[in-house]
Amino acid sequence: MLPNCEPEPLYSADATTDFEPAVESAGTQTSPQTSALRPRGAEGRVRRAPRQAALVAVGFVMFGVGGTTARGHGLTYEVAESLECTGNAVEPVAFDMESARWQSFLGRLAERLEDGVVSHQQHRQLLAIWHEARRMSPSVRRPAIFVSDEGVVQAEWSYLDFPGVVFTVDIYADGKLDWFFRDARIQVVDGSDEELDLLLPARAFELLASTFSKSDAQLV
Amino acid sequence: MEAPGAGTNVPSSHRIVRLPKRTLEFVPEGWRPSSKNFEATTEEKASAANGAVLRISVWDLELTSVPQARSFRPGETLVLVAIVEAVLGAGAEAVVYEAVEEPDLGRPGAAGHAGIEGLSRGLGQSRLEWRARLERIAEVFVLMPGTGTSSTMA
C-alpha cells in the first residue's frame, strides 16, 4: 500500500463501476499482484477467468483499463486498492511490447513516488487522467511521459503518423495542470491560458479521446 | 577548429541537435518531440535577462559531435535533430553561432554551440499562439535513434 494513495477517481464518479469490492475466497493464497485482480462470477464467488489463469500460469500478467474483455467473459473484475493506486489495473489485454513497457513504466512510477521524484498529487493526476481518457476511449494511444529538470511530470500525445497534432499535459508538484492541444489539420488550438487548471476540463478529454484513439486497423 | 564568429548564421544545410534535459519515463511507438523541448530553460532565460536576444541552445553537428555536446550538459538528455533550413522554414527567425561561456570555451566541440532565435513569446501574443508557433518548429525535429535516456526506448 502506498502512503496517502487515494483510489477515488478525480474525473468520473463512475470510472470504476466495473469494479466490485474485493472478496477473499477462503483458503486461497496468491501472490500480492495476482490477488489484487479477481474476476467474480454471477454467484458472487471469486474465481479466475481462464485467460487470466493461463497468463498467471506462465508467470506473466498484463493488465489494461476498460471493460470490454472482462465483460466478454461474463465476469467483472475487482481491483485491490494497491493496484488501483499504482495504476496496474484492470483487465487482461492482448500482449504486445508497448503494453509490456507501459506496465513496466507504471511500476517504475510507483517507485518514483516512493523516491520522492514524483509527488502524490502528480502521481494521482497522471493516473486519473489516463484512466479517464481510457474510460472515454479504450483505444486511446499511450502518451510519452517525461519528468523535466524542474520536476514537472509531462505527458505528450504526439506521433510521427499524426503530423500537426499534439496534446500535452504538464503536471506540477502541487497537482496543478497546464494543457495544450493543437490540430493543424483543422486549425484548432486549445489549452490552458494564463491560469493553471486543477482538473482537465471535459473538452480536453473529448479532444484527447476523439483525436488519439486508434482505428480498428491500428488495434492489435 | 576555429569557432565561427558569434552571431553568424549556421549554414542552412547543417544539422543541429537540441539536448533537452528531460528524463524519459515512457515513449510510445511512433512518438515525435513536442514543443515542450523548445521552451527556454532557466539558464537560457537568464542569459537573455540583460536585454540579449533569447536563444534556445543547439549544437551544429558539423562542428560538434553528439557525445561532445552531451558533455556540456551533464545528466540525462534527449537528442533531437533537425536541419537548419527546416527550422527556419517552420518559423524560427535565425540559427546563429553563440560562444559558450568560460570555462567551457576551449573544450572539444565548443565551436559548434549555437542558438535558435525567435522562439520567445512576443508582446501581445497569447500563450496558445506562442505554443502553436513552438509546435511548428518542434515538428521538424526528430529523436535521434538510439539516443533515448531510458530503457523504455523502443
Side-chain angles (χ1 to χ4, degrees), chain A residues 114-207:
Chain A
E114 291 170 352
D115 293 343
V117 175
V118 172
S119 73
H120 292 289
Q121 290 91 337
Q122 289 173 312
H123 184 253
R124 186 171 177 226
Q125 283 278 21
L126 179 60
L127 294 183
I129 290 167
W130 173 244
H131 283 214
E132 178 64 4
R134 287 295 289 261
R135 189 190 67 81
M136 291 183 71
S137 175
S139 66
V140 72
R141 295 170 76 158
R142 297 179 181 89
I145 307 289
F146 299 89
V147 178
S148 77
D149 212 22
E150 292 81 25
V152 181
V153 173
Q154 300 170 324
E156 293 182 9
W157 284 260
S158 176
Y159 308 93
L160 292 169
D161 60 342
F162 266 43
V165 187
V166 67
F167 188 104
T168 64
V169 183
D170 284 5
I171 308 172
Y172 292 86
D174 61 2
K176 287 185 178 174
L177 304 170
D178 179 6
W179 67 282
F180 176 75
F181 173 79
R182 174 177 178 251
D183 189 340
R185 302 170 303 179
I186 52 174
Q187 301 289 308
V188 170
V189 175
D190 203 346
S192 314
D193 205 347
E194 305 303 332
E195 296 289 329
L196 299 181
D197 296 311
L198 291 171
L199 293 172
L200 274 190
R203 73 177 191 281
F205 282 110
E206 287 163 7
L207 291 168

Side-chain angles (χ1 to χ4, degrees), chain A residues 96-98 101-102 105 108 112 141-150 154 156 158-166 168 170 178-180 182 189-194 196, chain B residues 21-37 39 41-42 73 76 78 121 125-129 131-133 135-136 139 141-142 150-154:
Chain A
D96 66 78
M97 283 305 294
E98 188 174 296
R101 291 191 297 106
W102 180 255
F105 153 70
R108 288 197 310 280
R112 294 281 196 191
R141 295 170 76 158
R142 297 179 181 89
I145 307 289
F146 299 89
V147 178
S148 77
D149 212 22
E150 292 81 25
Q154 300 170 324
E156 293 182 9
S158 176
Y159 308 93
L160 292 169
D161 60 342
F162 266 43
V165 187
V166 67
T168 64
D170 284 5
D178 179 6
W179 67 282
F180 176 75
R182 174 177 178 251
V189 175
D190 203 346
S192 314
D193 205 347
E194 305 303 332
L196 299 181
Chain B
K21 272 195 164 183
R22 305 171 79 196
T23 303
L24 183 54
E25 300 285 340
F26 176 81
V27 61
E29 294 165 11
W31 174 77
R32 67 171 173 79
S34 80
S35 60
K36 304 306 296 183
N37 299 290
E39 293 180 5
T41 64
T42 306
R73 289 180 64 74
E76 295 184 358
L78 300 177
R121 183 175 164 186
Q125 186 174 39
S126 77
R127 196 157 177 273
L128 293 179
E129 289 171 343
R131 290 289 306 272
R133 189 155 57 87
E135 272 303 325
R136 288 194 290 275
E139 282 170 9
F141 279 80
V142 296
S150 164
S151 59
T152 57
M153 288 296 299

Side-chain angles (χ1 to χ4, degrees), chain A residues 8-146:
Chain A
E8 70 272 18
L10 286 173
Y11 289 101
S12 172
D14 62 354
T16 57
T17 49
D18 285 337
F19 314 142
E20 298 178 15
V23 176
E24 289 293 336
S25 55
T28 301
Q29 286 193 332
T30 54
S31 69
Q33 188 169 55
T34 56
S35 67
L37 179 117
R38 295 188 186 85
R40 173 181 291 189
E43 70 280 18
R45 289 175 61 88
V46 173
R47 58 192 176 88
R48 180 170 289 138
R51 183 177 179 182
Q52 186 196 0
L55 288 168
V56 171
V58 297
F60 202 102
V61 182
M62 303 294 301
F63 301 102
V65 178
T68 315
T69 306
R71 285 190 289 270
H73 284 294
L75 303 165
T76 57
Y77 288 91
E78 61 197 24
V79 182
E81 191 176 36
S82 60
L83 275 189
E84 176 73 1
C85 290
T86 57
N88 291 341
V90 185
E91 92 189 41
V93 296
F95 174 84
D96 66 78
M97 283 305 294
E98 188 174 296
S99 297
R101 291 191 297 106
W102 180 255
Q103 295 307 320
S104 174
F105 153 70
L106 291 175
R108 288 197 310 280
L109 186 63
E111 293 171 9
R112 294 281 196 191
L113 175 62
E114 291 170 352
D115 293 343
V117 175
V118 172
S119 73
H120 292 289
Q121 290 91 337
Q122 289 173 312
H123 184 253
R124 186 171 177 226
Q125 283 278 21
L126 179 60
L127 294 183
I129 290 167
W130 173 244
H131 283 214
E132 178 64 4
R134 287 295 289 261
R135 189 190 67 81
M136 291 183 71
S137 175
S139 66
V140 72
R141 295 170 76 158
R142 297 179 181 89
I145 307 289
F146 299 89

